[in-house]
Amino acid sequence: MPEPERLSGDRPESLADLLGGRRGAVDATVPPVAFAIGWLAAGLWGGVVAAVLAGTAVAGWRWRRGDRPRSVLVGLLAVCVAALIALRTGRATDFFLVQLVSNAASGLAWMVSIAVRWPLLGVLVGAVLGQRSRWRRDPALLRAYGRGSWVWVATYLLRLAVFVPLWLGGQVVALVVARVALTWPLVAAALAVSWLVIRRSLPAGHPGLRHPVVLSDPDDVPAR
């Protein structure tokens, strides 16, 4: 994301990591690709076995790289749950049902966060910068983060608009292709666009994300 201010500093996680960066993209793409290959070669059981093996390999790789155990286990658990759902229903496309539900829930969560004036983009950036909730006391930053958060809502809605018809149509291979295309490339685009939205939303002379201008309680400032 092109930006004059570094969001991550020396912290172990960057904004891209928190919003689904390259490592998250590996979790999201390698097991589904393995599932499709296994499914084409040996049917549903072949796909499930291939996906679980791939998920285990990815988890082991991330563990050796020093990723947080919780994130490693969550990634592997998601693959196992997806595999169990597909076996339970007997439909290969249901391997992607967890992804559909996850995107719907995430989109809803981001919209609710904007509505209650705790936009998740601000929460995540504030965590990266170590600001906690100080950014909320800056009306300009609060408004900018709210607008930037709509970019992320759009990413979830876009995925659903693509995934749901393919899921309903039983298009396993197309779902894999869509999932790969709409993971890290889409996150990278959303990072760039949301940063541009934030920059253009801040008034001239504002010191930037690292320096909230605390004027008053944000709940007393009318939303725009």
Side-chain angles (χ1 to χ4, degrees), residues 27 33 97 130 132 135 150 152 163 166 173 181 186 197 208 224:
D27 282 346
V33 170
L97 193 56
R132 297 188 178 180
W135 57 271
W150 281 112
W152 293 91
F163 292 159
L166 294 176
V173 176
L186 184 60
V197 169
R224 296 182 184 177

Side-chain angles (χ1 to χ4, degrees), residues 13-21 68 110 123-125 127-129 156:
E13 288 188 310
S14 68
L15 178 60
D17 293 325
L18 290 169
L19 293 172
R68 294 181 178 181
W110 280 76
V123 173
L124 294 172
V125 175
V128 171
L129 295 179
Y156 296 115

Side-chain angles (χ1 to χ4, degrees), residues 6-15 18 121-137 145 209-212:
R6 291 182 59 187
L7 293 179
S8 57
D10 295 327
R11 295 178 179 271
E13 288 188 310
S14 68
L15 178 60
L18 290 169
L121 188 58
V123 173
L124 294 172
V125 175
V128 171
L129 295 179
Q131 295 173 341
R132 297 188 178 180
S133 61
R134 276 199 309 124
W135 57 271
R136 286 197 76 242
R137 298 198 297 273
Y145 282 136
L209 306 186
R210 287 185 175 276
H211 307 286

Side-chain angles (χ1 to χ4, degrees), residues 11-14 16-31 58-59 61-69 71-72 75-76 183-184 187:
R11 295 178 179 271
E13 288 188 310
S14 68
D17 293 325
L18 290 169
L19 293 172
R22 292 180 178 87
R23 294 183 186 181
V26 173
D27 282 346
T29 57
V30 172
V58 169
W61 170 74
R62 292 187 62 188
W63 185 280
R64 288 193 299 271
R65 287 177 61 93
D67 283 16
R68 294 181 178 181
S71 65
V72 172
L76 180 58
T183 304
W184 175 246
V187 169

Side-chain angles (χ1 to χ4, degrees), residues 18 40 44 49 67 72 76 101 108 116 179 222-223:
L18 290 169
L40 290 171
L44 182 58
V49 171
D67 283 16
V72 172
L76 180 58
V101 174
L108 180 61
V116 300
R179 187 161 177 179

Side-chain angles (χ1 to χ4, degrees), residues 100 103-104 153-168 175 178 182:
L100 296 180
N103 277 279
V153 172
T155 66
Y156 296 115
L157 297 180
L158 174 60
R159 288 185 183 128
L160 289 173
V162 174
F163 292 159
V164 171
L166 294 176
W167 175 71
L168 292 174
L175 276 166
L182 296 178

Side-chain angles (χ1 to χ4, degrees), residues 193-211:
V193 174
S194 59
W195 170 245
L196 181 62
V197 169
I198 289 174
R199 285 188 61 186
R200 292 188 173 181
S201 297
L202 292 176
H206 191 282
L209 306 186
R210 287 185 175 276
H211 307 286

Side-chain angles (χ1 to χ4, degrees), residues 84-105:
L84 288 174
I85 291 174
L87 289 175
R88 177 80 175 179
T89 65
R91 298 179 68 242
T93 48
D94 285 347
F95 179 82
F96 302 90
L97 193 56
V98 170
Q99 182 77 4
L100 296 180
V101 174
S102 174
N103 277 279

